[in-house]
Amino acid sequence: MTVLNLRSLAGGRILRGSQPFGLDAVSAAGFLAAHGIQTVMDLRSEYERAMVPWPIPNGMPDGGSDAGRAAAVELVENPFDPHTATGGLQSIETPQDLGELYLGWVRARPDWVADALRPVAQGRRTLIHCSLGKDRTGVVSALALLLAGEHPDAVVADYTATAANLPEMLHVMADTWRLHVPSTPSQYFSPDLMILQAPEAAMRHFLAGFAREFGSPAAYLRDAGLSAVELDILSGKAH
Protein backbone atom coordinates (compact mmCIF):
# COMPACT_ATOMS: atom_id res chain seq x y z
CA MET A 1 0.00 0.00 0.00
CA THR A 2 0.97 3.65 0.03
CA VAL A 3 -0.42 7.15 0.53
CA LEU A 4 -3.74 7.25 -1.32
CA ASN A 5 -5.73 10.20 -2.69
CA LEU A 6 -2.40 11.85 -3.55
CA ARG A 7 -2.14 14.98 -5.67
CA SER A 8 0.02 18.05 -6.05
CA LEU A 9 -1.00 21.63 -5.26
CA ALA A 10 0.48 25.11 -5.45
CA GLY A 11 3.04 24.42 -8.14
CA GLY A 12 4.19 21.22 -6.48
CA ARG A 13 5.07 22.84 -3.17
CA ILE A 14 2.28 20.90 -1.46
CA LEU A 15 1.22 17.28 -1.79
CA ARG A 16 -2.06 16.30 -0.18
CA GLY A 17 -3.07 12.74 0.57
CA SER A 18 -4.21 10.08 3.00
CA GLN A 19 -2.35 8.50 5.87
CA PRO A 20 0.44 6.03 4.98
CA PHE A 21 -1.45 2.76 4.60
CA GLY A 22 0.79 -0.29 4.94
CA LEU A 23 4.20 1.37 4.56
CA ASP A 24 7.24 -0.05 6.33
CA ALA A 25 10.44 1.93 6.87
CA VAL A 26 11.92 0.97 3.50
CA SER A 27 8.82 1.66 1.42
CA ALA A 28 8.14 4.88 3.33
CA ALA A 29 11.67 6.11 2.63
CA GLY A 30 11.24 5.23 -1.04
CA PHE A 31 7.90 7.01 -1.28
CA LEU A 32 9.17 10.17 0.38
CA ALA A 33 12.33 10.26 -1.73
CA ALA A 34 10.45 9.59 -4.97
CA HIS A 35 8.22 12.59 -4.33
CA GLY A 36 10.95 14.87 -2.99
CA ILE A 37 9.09 15.37 0.28
CA GLN A 38 11.01 17.35 2.88
CA THR A 39 8.30 17.64 5.56
CA VAL A 40 5.35 15.44 6.47
CA MET A 41 2.55 17.44 8.13
CA ASP A 42 0.45 14.90 10.02
CA LEU A 43 -2.93 16.33 11.06
CA ARG A 44 -4.24 13.19 12.76
CA SER A 45 -5.07 12.71 16.43
CA GLU A 46 -2.77 10.65 18.64
CA TYR A 47 -5.23 7.75 18.48
CA GLU A 48 -5.24 7.75 14.68
CA ARG A 49 -1.44 7.95 14.51
CA ALA A 50 -1.10 4.96 16.83
CA MET A 51 -3.10 2.78 14.42
CA VAL A 52 -1.19 3.83 11.28
CA PRO A 53 2.16 5.35 12.32
CA TRP A 54 4.75 6.86 10.02
CA PRO A 55 7.82 4.57 10.11
CA ILE A 56 10.21 7.54 10.12
CA PRO A 57 11.79 9.36 13.08
CA ASN A 58 10.12 12.52 14.32
CA GLY A 59 12.50 15.38 13.60
CA MET A 60 15.78 15.91 11.81
CA PRO A 61 18.83 13.85 12.84
CA ASP A 62 21.31 15.41 15.23
CA GLY A 63 24.38 14.02 13.52
CA GLY A 64 25.62 12.23 10.45
CA SER A 65 26.87 13.52 7.15
CA ASP A 66 25.69 16.64 5.40
CA ALA A 67 24.13 14.41 2.73
CA GLY A 68 22.24 12.47 5.39
CA ARG A 69 20.90 15.63 6.93
CA ALA A 70 19.84 16.99 3.55
CA ALA A 71 17.93 13.79 2.75
CA ALA A 72 16.19 13.59 6.13
CA VAL A 73 12.46 14.17 6.32
CA GLU A 74 10.93 16.23 9.10
CA LEU A 75 7.79 14.69 10.61
CA VAL A 76 5.53 17.32 12.19
CA GLU A 77 2.59 16.20 14.30
CA ASN A 78 -0.12 18.87 14.29
CA PRO A 79 -3.11 17.00 15.70
CA PHE A 80 -6.72 17.99 15.28
CA ASP A 81 -9.40 15.56 16.47
CA PRO A 82 -12.66 16.31 14.64
CA HIS A 83 -14.60 14.23 17.17
CA THR A 84 -13.75 16.55 20.06
CA ALA A 85 -12.62 19.87 18.57
CA THR A 86 -16.03 21.30 17.65
CA GLY A 87 -18.49 18.71 18.88
CA GLY A 88 -19.54 15.35 17.47
CA LEU A 89 -19.99 14.33 13.87
CA GLN A 90 -23.34 12.63 14.27
CA SER A 91 -25.36 15.66 13.18
CA ILE A 92 -23.71 15.92 9.73
CA GLU A 93 -26.60 15.05 7.41
CA THR A 94 -26.34 17.49 4.49
CA PRO A 95 -23.51 19.02 2.44
CA GLN A 96 -24.25 22.32 4.15
CA ASP A 97 -23.77 20.66 7.54
CA LEU A 98 -20.39 19.40 6.35
CA GLY A 99 -19.36 22.84 5.10
CA GLU A 100 -20.47 24.36 8.39
CA LEU A 101 -18.36 21.80 10.24
CA TYR A 102 -15.32 23.01 8.30
CA LEU A 103 -16.13 26.61 9.17
CA GLY A 104 -16.27 25.65 12.83
CA TRP A 105 -12.77 24.26 12.57
CA VAL A 106 -11.24 27.41 11.12
CA ARG A 107 -13.10 29.54 13.65
CA ALA A 108 -11.86 27.45 16.56
CA ARG A 109 -8.25 26.78 15.51
CA PRO A 110 -6.62 29.36 13.25
CA ASP A 111 -3.31 28.46 14.91
CA TRP A 112 -3.71 24.87 13.72
CA VAL A 113 -4.31 26.01 10.13
CA ALA A 114 -1.27 28.30 10.20
CA ASP A 115 0.93 25.59 11.71
CA ALA A 116 -0.19 23.15 9.01
CA LEU A 117 1.06 25.51 6.29
CA ARG A 118 4.16 26.84 8.04
CA PRO A 119 6.66 24.35 6.53
CA VAL A 120 5.40 25.25 3.04
CA ALA A 121 5.74 28.92 3.98
CA GLN A 122 9.36 28.21 4.89
CA GLY A 123 10.05 26.77 1.44
CA ARG A 124 9.82 23.05 2.23
CA ARG A 125 8.05 20.64 -0.12
CA THR A 126 5.39 19.30 2.23
CA LEU A 127 3.01 16.36 2.32
CA ILE A 128 -0.12 17.40 4.22
CA HIS A 129 -2.41 14.58 5.30
CA CYS A 130 -4.97 13.41 7.81
CA SER A 131 -6.64 9.99 7.66
CA LEU A 132 -8.46 10.03 4.31
CA GLY A 133 -6.99 13.32 3.13
CA LYS A 134 -10.52 14.70 2.72
CA ASP A 135 -11.72 16.96 5.54
CA ARG A 136 -8.88 18.37 7.65
CA THR A 137 -6.55 18.15 4.67
CA GLY A 138 -9.28 19.58 2.45
CA VAL A 139 -9.74 22.67 4.61
CA VAL A 140 -6.01 23.41 4.78
CA SER A 141 -5.60 22.75 1.06
CA ALA A 142 -8.52 25.02 0.19
CA LEU A 143 -6.95 27.99 1.96
CA ALA A 144 -3.55 27.27 0.41
CA LEU A 145 -5.08 27.20 -3.07
CA LEU A 146 -7.00 30.43 -2.50
CA LEU A 147 -3.86 32.13 -1.24
CA ALA A 148 -2.02 30.94 -4.36
CA GLY A 149 -4.63 32.76 -6.45
CA GLU A 150 -6.70 29.78 -7.56
CA HIS A 151 -10.35 30.41 -8.51
CA PRO A 152 -12.93 28.97 -6.07
CA ASP A 153 -14.04 26.58 -8.82
CA ALA A 154 -10.53 25.09 -8.85
CA VAL A 155 -10.67 24.70 -5.06
CA VAL A 156 -14.00 22.89 -5.36
CA ALA A 157 -12.62 20.65 -8.11
CA ASP A 158 -9.64 19.68 -5.96
CA TYR A 159 -11.92 18.85 -3.02
CA THR A 160 -14.37 16.76 -5.07
CA ALA A 161 -11.51 14.85 -6.72
CA THR A 162 -11.38 12.84 -3.49
CA ALA A 163 -14.78 11.29 -4.25
CA ALA A 164 -13.36 8.89 -6.84
CA ASN A 165 -10.82 7.61 -4.31
CA LEU A 166 -13.21 7.13 -1.41
CA PRO A 167 -14.41 3.55 -2.18
CA GLU A 168 -10.87 2.16 -2.02
CA MET A 169 -9.91 4.28 0.99
CA LEU A 170 -13.03 3.37 2.98
CA HIS A 171 -12.39 -0.31 2.33
CA VAL A 172 -8.78 -0.04 3.52
CA MET A 173 -9.76 2.16 6.45
CA ALA A 174 -12.44 -0.30 7.58
CA ASP A 175 -9.92 -3.16 7.51
CA THR A 176 -7.45 -1.04 9.50
CA TRP A 177 -9.97 -0.19 12.19
CA ARG A 178 -11.24 -3.76 12.49
CA LEU A 179 -7.67 -4.95 12.98
CA HIS A 180 -7.20 -2.60 15.94
CA VAL A 181 -10.80 -2.36 17.16
CA PRO A 182 -12.57 -5.61 16.19
CA SER A 183 -15.89 -4.34 17.54
CA THR A 184 -16.02 -1.51 14.96
CA PRO A 185 -19.49 -1.75 13.33
CA SER A 186 -19.58 -2.10 9.56
CA GLN A 187 -21.77 1.00 9.14
CA TYR A 188 -19.01 3.14 10.68
CA PHE A 189 -17.45 3.39 7.22
CA SER A 190 -20.60 3.39 5.14
CA PRO A 191 -20.31 5.55 1.99
CA ASP A 192 -23.87 6.67 2.68
CA LEU A 193 -22.67 8.78 5.62
CA MET A 194 -22.34 12.44 4.66
CA ILE A 195 -19.17 12.77 6.73
CA LEU A 196 -17.58 10.22 4.39
CA GLN A 197 -18.53 12.01 1.17
CA ALA A 198 -16.94 14.93 -0.69
CA PRO A 199 -19.86 16.84 -2.23
CA GLU A 200 -19.32 20.04 -4.18
CA ALA A 201 -21.94 21.87 -2.11
CA ALA A 202 -19.98 21.30 1.11
CA MET A 203 -16.88 23.09 -0.16
CA ARG A 204 -18.93 25.87 -1.76
CA HIS A 205 -20.69 26.44 1.56
CA PHE A 206 -17.33 26.57 3.33
CA LEU A 207 -15.79 28.97 0.82
CA ALA A 208 -18.78 31.34 0.90
CA GLY A 209 -18.83 31.34 4.69
CA PHE A 210 -15.07 31.82 4.94
CA ALA A 211 -15.16 34.84 2.61
CA ARG A 212 -18.05 36.33 4.54
CA GLU A 213 -16.44 35.87 7.97
CA PHE A 214 -12.73 36.25 7.34
CA GLY A 215 -12.33 37.99 3.99
CA SER A 216 -9.12 36.81 2.37
CA PRO A 217 -7.02 33.77 3.36
CA ALA A 218 -4.02 36.12 3.60
CA ALA A 219 -5.73 38.20 6.28
CA TYR A 220 -6.84 35.08 8.14
CA LEU A 221 -3.38 33.49 8.11
CA ARG A 222 -1.69 36.78 9.00
CA ASP A 223 -3.92 37.04 12.07
CA ALA A 224 -3.13 33.38 12.80
CA GLY A 225 0.59 34.14 13.01
CA LEU A 226 2.19 33.79 9.59
CA SER A 227 4.58 36.59 8.61
CA ALA A 228 4.42 38.67 5.43
CA VAL A 229 7.44 36.79 4.07
CA GLU A 230 5.82 33.42 4.79
CA LEU A 231 2.59 34.55 3.11
CA ASP A 232 4.53 35.65 0.03
CA ILE A 233 6.15 32.22 -0.20
CA LEU A 234 2.80 30.48 0.25
CA SER A 235 1.20 32.64 -2.42
CA GLY A 236 4.05 31.96 -4.85
CA LYS A 237 5.24 35.57 -4.91
CA ALA A 238 8.58 34.59 -3.38
CA HIS A 239 10.62 31.40 -3.20
Side-chain angles (χ1 to χ4, degrees), residues 31-70:
F31 167 80
L32 295 167
H35 290 281
I37 295 167
Q38 297 171 296
T39 298
V40 172
M41 176 57 62
D42 191 336
L43 305 179
R44 298 174 298 167
S45 66
E46 180 179 358
Y47 186 74
E48 292 171 293
R49 293 197 307 271
M51 282 195 287
V52 184
W54 269 103
I56 57 176
N58 188 357
M60 304 293 283
D62 293 327
S65 68
D66 290 340
R69 285 195 293 272

Side-chain angles (χ1 to χ4, degrees), residues 12-101:
R13 291 175 289 123
I14 298 173
L15 291 174
R16 62 172 293 179
S18 73
Q19 61 189 347
F21 290 109
L23 293 182
D24 58 19
V26 173
S27 56
F31 167 80
L32 295 167
H35 290 281
I37 295 167
Q38 297 171 296
T39 298
V40 172
M41 176 57 62
D42 191 336
L43 305 179
R44 298 174 298 167
S45 66
E46 180 179 358
Y47 186 74
E48 292 171 293
R49 293 197 307 271
M51 282 195 287
V52 184
W54 269 103
I56 57 176
N58 188 357
M60 304 293 283
D62 293 327
S65 68
D66 290 340
R69 285 195 293 272
V73 175
E74 180 185 26
L75 174 60
V76 179
E77 295 171 354
N78 184 21
F80 188 91
D81 188 343
H83 294 275
T84 61
T86 53
L89 305 178
Q90 304 307 312
S91 62
I92 308 302
E93 298 179 351
T94 69
Q96 290 71 30
D97 291 339
L98 187 55
E100 196 61 35
L101 178 72

Side-chain angles (χ1 to χ4, degrees), residues 17-19 43-44 128-137:
S18 73
Q19 61 189 347
L43 305 179
R44 298 174 298 167
I128 299 175
H129 78 92
C130 48
S131 55
L132 296 174
K134 180 178 84 73
D135 301 305
R136 289 164 288 187
T137 302

